[in-house]
Amino acid sequence: MIQVSDGKIGTREFFSILYGMMAIRVTDSTPNLLHETGLTAAWMMPLISAAVLFVPLMMMLSLLKKGDTDTDLLQLLTELTGSILGRLITFLIFASVFSSTVLNGRSYGDIVTVMYYPDTALLIVMTLLLGAALYISHRGLEAIGRTALLVVPVFMVTSVILVLGVASQLNFLYLFPIAGAGGWEVIKGGVGYSSFFADIIIVGVLASRVRTFEAYRKASIWGLWVPAFKMALFLAVFVMIFDYPAVRNIAYPYHHLTRMAMIGSLANHVEAFFLALWFIGAAIHFATYLYISAYLLGKLIGYPPYQRLLLPLAGAAVVLGMMPENHLQGDHLRKLLLQSTSVFFLLLPALLWGLDRFRKKGKR
Amino acid sequence: MRWNGWKLGMVLVILLLVSGCGERRELETSAFVSVIGLDKAEQDHQVKVTFQISNPQVNTTQSAEAQKEPPSDIVTITSVDLLSAKELAQSSLSREITFSHLQTIIVGEELARDDLFKHIIGSAIIDPEMRRETIMIVSKERAQAFIHANKPTMETRPHKYYQFMEDNWRKTGFSPVSNLNAFFQRTEGELFLAAYATAERDPIGIRHDDDYSAGEVPQDSGDPVQMIGSAVMQEGKMVGMLNGEETRISQLLRRKNLIETMTAEFPDPLNENYQISLVLNQSSHTEIEVDTDRSPVKIDVKVPLQVKVNSNIALEDFTASQKRRDALREMVKEKMEEASDSLIKKLQENYTGEPFVWYATARRNFWTVSGFENFEWGEKFKEADVDLHYEVSVTSFGEQLSPPAFKKFEEDK
């Protein structure tokens, strides 16, 4: 039956968006940050991050459930913390989302120019990437959701194919010593880098755009754990194929992995296939980020036709992304951003939950 | 918004279509390097790089147009590193050099034994065009001479030759399957085995079965190159050599054996005048246990081995009684253990490390990476007690129930 579009998305679309936002981190410099901290035990860190984030997620879900179906994170903020503090927090979320768009945009541009097209200007790659993202996000959340739903199953299948393609070259013994940098270091790292999955809290601002609360709850729980497990799997695969300490020296392990993959003995240059898919994934990733940035900025400055903000934001992302001299500077900024926002996103739902409790007591 | 979207869409579609032209490479403007040879140059800190460039027109449907062209072109450039040599080679070469089909790196032994080599290869891998699955071969003579001498009769195209040779290694075990990825895995003192090859002949007479190194195999006519045995590399430098037999055993002692089958000679247990050739393979992983708590370290290795009797020159009948089969099994076990023990002794005496990836098993006993690094596995291996056991099972006696009856006739006479 053809349904009339209501601008809202369902469980599968929302899950695909979340997958597109988080699972693609496997392919950029994220594994390097994790391997640097966790050494051979880096694969545990995403699972720790997800477990740590699961508590705030549950708190946020319990708050969203109480309200009517149109409640979202921003409404909760204004309701519970008041207009001024609410705006400040909204600004902080916007700042973290947009700066992550800028830094990741640069990082993805670097990957393309370093690994695949050494003679192409970075500016062109970034323009193309954010241009494609702009085009998708311009069509609205529903379009992002549908595009994601279309390609995410393909990504999942190809990830499995990729792992199978290198399976014969893996040695699970390289995962030992099991605690890597030491148990405490790994846990600390897992908590410190939990903002890799903080998207799960951020998308609370879109809660009212999901058809039902039940759909939102289901999609966000799956959307947290599936990317976390994928990340853990790939971190383990990277160590199993390159071995520690060599894995620390490889700039973009995912792209080296696609080069090493072989499907049969004839198809051994399959990276072009993965590059094409990866670029589509990146476009969806940035489309979501741009959309959320524009949405938040619109709310922040009280400008309802927020879709008009997409173009300036995309342009700003390209210009700002070109500023760091090389990817090391960008990575350094990214590390700072991740560590500072981790605490923020872990505590935000707890703060809201506490305020909610407090207010209820006051009423009674 | 509608008009805006249209315009944007049009621009994007055009961009999308033309972006493919950005970095296009035409087949006829590219020079595909299939083999690189590295040698020490006369001057310090200089390296001689030999590129063997495939001619893509040979052996294709276009070959009619290029009948007089050779299958490959060989260029040698002296420079400070691979990247600048690649650029300098362009001064004489009309086509653009690309490494995208590079499969093999040949290193002259002289350079491999030099401290310079780790700098050359370590900086080469930084180039994104370099692929980690490239095979590394150490040649006894200079790599340049090796590449020039290597003119196989059957394989006109050089990349096919190396690809087929590598496939062969998996079936004979004469050379280790050695790519750059494995080389860079073992940079901290672990031993890495690279295939050893030569186009020179250095006959040493007839030896026992696989006791040869490259160049020593008694061979008349045929292709000039022999690949057997391995070069032992430690910390990016060649420190020694293993012959064919030692190379095979070191493959068997790994947890994950990369060799499918190998054929080896043993003395016939029933008739001391003859040898018997047996096909060996492994049905399951070699089991390795390392006890790092005691000193010296104790290493237990259990090697499962399946034996097939596919030739039986003494024409002794193994199918007649269990006793005879047991004798065969015991003999294989004894000989293999003897050979393995002497290999381990040789390694312990000469090197600080092992090429069997046992360090990965030892890592299981440690909680943190720094704990393992402080343990100094290489030094501990030197002193280690290694307990080797082969578990031999004889699985097949070929396609004859018993050897032909010539012998019986002989005895009756």
Side-chain angles (χ1 to χ4, degrees):
Chain A
M1 199 179 83
I2 299 164
Q3 278 184 330
V4 179
S5 164
D6 55 358
K8 291 198 172 194
I9 54 176
T11 319
R12 283 177 306 167
E13 282 99 334
F14 191 51
F15 168 77
S16 304
I17 289 180
L18 287 172
Y19 186 90
M21 284 175 90
M22 288 182 272
I24 200 165
R25 299 235 156 94
V26 173
T27 64
D28 54 29
S29 57
T30 310
N32 296 92
L33 291 176
L34 296 178
H35 281 308
E36 197 61 48
T37 315
L39 308 183
T40 50
W43 62 274
M44 294 177 194
M45 290 166 67
L47 299 179
I48 293 170
S49 301
V52 169
L53 264 172
F54 197 61
V55 180
L57 174 66
M58 279 303 157
M59 285 176 169
M60 193 176 80
L61 285 176
S62 79
L63 288 174
L64 289 174
K65 193 181 178 181
K66 278 180 200 150
D68 48 12
T69 44
D70 282 341
T71 320
D72 61 24
L73 187 61
L74 292 182
Q75 254 174 335
L76 284 175
L77 277 174
T78 4
E79 229 170 80
L80 292 171
T81 61
S83 165
I84 296 169
L85 196 59
R87 253 170 213 243
L88 182 69
I89 294 175
T90 312
F91 174 72
L92 286 177
I93 301 178
F94 164 74
S96 101
V97 172
F98 187 62
S99 51
S100 150
T101 315
V102 171
L103 290 173
N104 284 338
R106 170 60 188 260
S107 166
Y108 282 60
D110 277 331
I111 293 174
V112 173
T113 51
V114 170
M115 297 294 294
Y116 300 99
Y117 298 111
D119 301 332
T120 305
L122 183 64
L123 182 65
I124 294 179
V125 176
M126 281 189 69
T127 312
L128 210 63
L129 181 59
L130 282 157
L134 175 65
Y135 185 74
I136 301 172
S137 62
H138 188 260
R139 312 257 108 187
L141 188 64
E142 223 187 339
I144 301 176
R146 292 216 176 133
T147 323
L149 180 60
L150 208 62
V151 289
V152 160
V154 182
F155 294 157
M156 291 171 134
V157 173
T158 49
S159 305
V160 175
I161 292 175
L162 180 57
V163 174
L164 290 179
V166 295
S168 62
Q169 304 174 52
L170 302 180
N171 185 349
F172 80 95
L173 286 175
Y174 292 158
L175 286 178
F176 295 96
I178 194 79
W184 179 237
E185 288 291 318
V186 172
I187 293 172
K188 227 165 57 183
V191 176
Y193 283 125
S194 59
S195 55
F196 279 134
F197 302 106
D199 301 7
I200 204 78
I201 307 289
I202 297 172
V203 290
V205 301
L206 302 176
S208 62
R209 310 286 299 276
V210 181
R211 222 163 262 137
T212 61
F213 171 74
E214 195 45 39
Y216 181 84
R217 197 181 70 89
K218 231 160 108 186
S220 54
I221 290 174
W222 282 98
L224 173 65
W225 285 105
V226 172
F229 271 101
K230 183 182 174 185
M231 182 74 106
L233 172 71
F234 272 86
L235 286 172
V237 166
F238 295 152
V239 173
M240 284 193 280
I241 194 159
F242 301 120
D243 194 8
Y244 172 83
V247 71
R248 283 169 82 180
N249 304 335
I250 295 171
Y252 306 111
Y254 175 84
H255 300 275
H256 276 278
L257 196 70
T258 61
R259 285 177 169 208
M260 310 261 304
M262 270 207 222
I263 298 163
S265 62
L266 279 175
N268 52 10
H269 280 47
V270 289
E271 70 260 27
F273 170 68
F274 288 102
L275 170 69
L277 282 177
W278 172 76
F279 210 77
I280 296 173
I284 289 171
H285 173 88
F286 287 107
T288 319
Y289 264 76
L290 272 182
Y291 186 85
I292 294 177
S293 306
Y295 183 74
L296 287 172
L297 189 62
K299 288 273 171 189
L300 201 60
I301 58 174
Y303 185 66
Y306 59 88
Q307 298 208 333
R308 289 191 192 163
L309 294 171
L310 284 169
L311 182 62
L313 279 175
V318 172
V319 173
L320 290 172
M322 292 298 293
M323 283 185 18
E325 191 184 331
N326 52 39
H327 76 89
L328 295 179
Q329 281 183 359
D331 284 351
H332 180 67
L333 291 173
R334 181 148 181 257
K335 207 165 150 183
L336 285 180
L337 175 74
L338 284 165
Q339 281 167 344
S340 55
T341 52
S342 284
V343 185
F344 174 65
F345 285 115
L346 285 175
L347 292 183
L348 179 65
L351 171 78
L352 293 179
W353 193 73
L355 283 171
D356 185 57
R357 276 275 148 123
F358 185 69
R359 213 171 58 159
K360 247 189 217 149
K361 260 187 194 161
K363 264 186 193 164
R364 226 182 281 155
Chain B
M1 281 316 269
R2 200 123 278 274
W3 57 272
N4 214 347
W6 265 106
K7 272 188 188 166
L8 197 66
M10 287 304 285
V11 172
L12 275 178
V13 165
I14 293 167
L15 258 179
L16 207 67
L17 293 178
V18 296
S19 65
C21 309
E23 238 167 279
R24 75 195 184 285
R25 253 184 206 164
E26 305 284 345
L27 192 60
E28 55 263 36
T29 62
S30 304
F32 293 101
V33 177
S34 55
V35 182
I36 285 183
L38 297 172
D39 278 311
K40 220 177 145 184
E42 290 78 29
Q43 302 84 2
D44 278 351
H45 301 295
Q46 296 272 323
V47 62
K48 258 196 160 129
V49 185
T50 307
F51 298 99
Q52 184 167 25
I53 296 152
S54 291
N55 185 350
Q57 275 176 315
V58 173
N59 268 13
T60 60
T61 47
Q62 281 196 320
S63 57
E65 298 169 24
Q67 264 175 358
K68 296 218 173 66
E69 290 178 19
S72 70
D73 185 16
I74 299 168
V75 190
T76 303
I77 300 285
T78 308
S79 173
V80 289
D81 65 356
L82 199 55
L83 194 66
S84 70
K86 184 173 152 193
E87 186 78 7
L88 280 172
Q90 215 73 69
S91 63
S92 80
L93 208 75
S94 51
R95 298 183 176 191
E96 193 189 342
I97 291 185
T98 160
F99 287 171
S100 62
H101 288 257
L102 175 65
Q103 277 182 330
T104 313
I105 291 190
I106 302 196
V107 188
E109 188 174 338
E110 194 192 352
L111 176 68
R113 285 186 186 274
D114 199 279
D115 278 328
L116 182 64
F117 178 60
K118 62 170 175 268
H119 293 274
I120 300 292
I121 195 78
S123 81
I125 198 73
I126 298 174
D127 185 357
E129 264 197 47
M130 205 72 171
R131 301 172 75 97
R132 296 177 78 88
E133 65 265 36
T134 310
I135 297 291
M136 188 164 115
I137 296 172
V138 175
S139 71
K140 190 175 177 188
E141 62 272 46
R142 294 179 69 84
Q144 186 184 0
F146 178 87
I147 292 172
H148 276 285
N150 187 13
K151 294 268 180 313
T153 336
M154 299 287 205
E155 280 8 289
T156 334
R157 291 173 295 168
H159 73 279
K160 280 281 164 206
Y161 172 77
Y162 290 102
Q163 192 184 322
F164 292 162
M165 278 314 262
E166 194 205 326
D167 290 347
N168 265 347
W169 298 345
R170 291 179 194 276
K171 293 191 187 95
T172 62
F174 285 141
S175 299
V177 181
S178 50
N179 62 15
L180 284 184
N181 191 41
F183 176 79
F184 284 108
Q185 279 173 0
R186 299 180 214 155
T187 48
E188 299 210 322
E190 305 90 352
L191 298 188
F192 167 74
L193 299 183
Y196 192 71
T198 183
E200 287 168 0
R201 287 286 180 280
D202 181 18
I204 51 161
I206 305 295
R207 280 228 196 144
H208 170 69
D209 184 35
D210 47 13
D211 254 356
Y212 299 105
S213 286
E216 297 173 351
V217 180
Q219 171 195 354
D220 293 328
S221 73
D223 288 345
V225 163
Q226 284 183 0
M227 293 189 187
I228 181 169
S230 51
V232 182
M233 315 277 296
Q234 189 171 31
E235 286 168 355
K237 193 174 160 184
M238 179 171 166
V239 289
M241 265 178 62
L242 298 180
N243 65 21
E245 187 191 20
E246 291 163 335
T247 306
R248 281 175 155 191
I249 288 171
S250 60
Q251 304 293 310
L252 282 177
L253 295 183
R254 295 169 55 129
R255 191 187 73 88
K256 215 169 129 189
N257 180 13
L258 301 173
I259 309 298
E260 287 156 21
T261 63
M262 51 181 91
T263 306
E265 281 171 21
F266 294 92
D268 195 305
L270 306 177
N271 189 334
E272 69 253 25
N273 296 332
Y274 289 98
Q275 304 266 315
I276 181 164
S277 289
L278 301 172
V279 180
L280 310 175
N281 68 343
Q282 278 192 302
S283 56
S284 55
H285 288 310
T286 298
E287 283 172 42
I288 296 151
E289 270 171 44
V290 181
D291 185 355
T292 47
D293 291 332
R294 50 166 274 193
S295 172
V297 170
K298 176 119 172 49
I299 305 171
D300 273 303
V301 185
K302 236 184 257 166
V303 190
L305 203 60
Q306 288 190 339
V307 173
K308 283 184 203 156
V309 185
N310 276 8
S311 150
N312 182 357
I313 196 119
L315 299 181
E316 292 291 348
D317 189 358
F318 287 105
T319 51
S321 81
Q322 182 67 37
K323 224 176 180 172
R324 291 180 159 206
R325 293 196 287 271
D326 286 345
L328 178 70
R329 192 164 58 217
E330 281 308 309
M331 190 274 310
V332 172
K333 185 174 149 72
E334 194 184 305
K335 286 287 160 196
M336 289 305 287
E337 283 174 4
E338 202 178 288
S340 309
D341 281 337
S342 71
L343 169 66
I344 285 169
K345 209 166 155 227
K346 177 181 169 183
L347 289 169
Q348 284 182 329
E349 276 168 15
N350 299 329
Y351 311 104
T352 48
E354 35 76 33
F356 317 120
V357 206
W358 287 352
Y359 69 88
T361 311
R363 276 167 34 170
R364 290 182 87 148
N365 301 352
F366 290 86
W367 181 245
T368 63
V369 168
S370 55
F372 177 71
E373 280 170 356
N374 295 334
F375 182 69
E376 291 189 339
W377 170 249
E379 291 295 332
K380 294 283 166 26
F381 171 73
K382 257 180 119 64
E383 324 275 70
D385 278 341
V386 184
D387 223 348
L388 272 165
H389 287 289
Y390 275 81
E391 286 175 349
V392 181
S393 53
V394 185
T395 55
S396 151
F397 291 91
E399 56 132 37
Q400 297 250 312
L401 286 174
S402 56
F406 305 120
K407 216 175 155 201
K408 214 171 174 188
F409 186 69
E410 218 171 79
E411 277 165 11
D412 288 346
K413 232 179 353 187

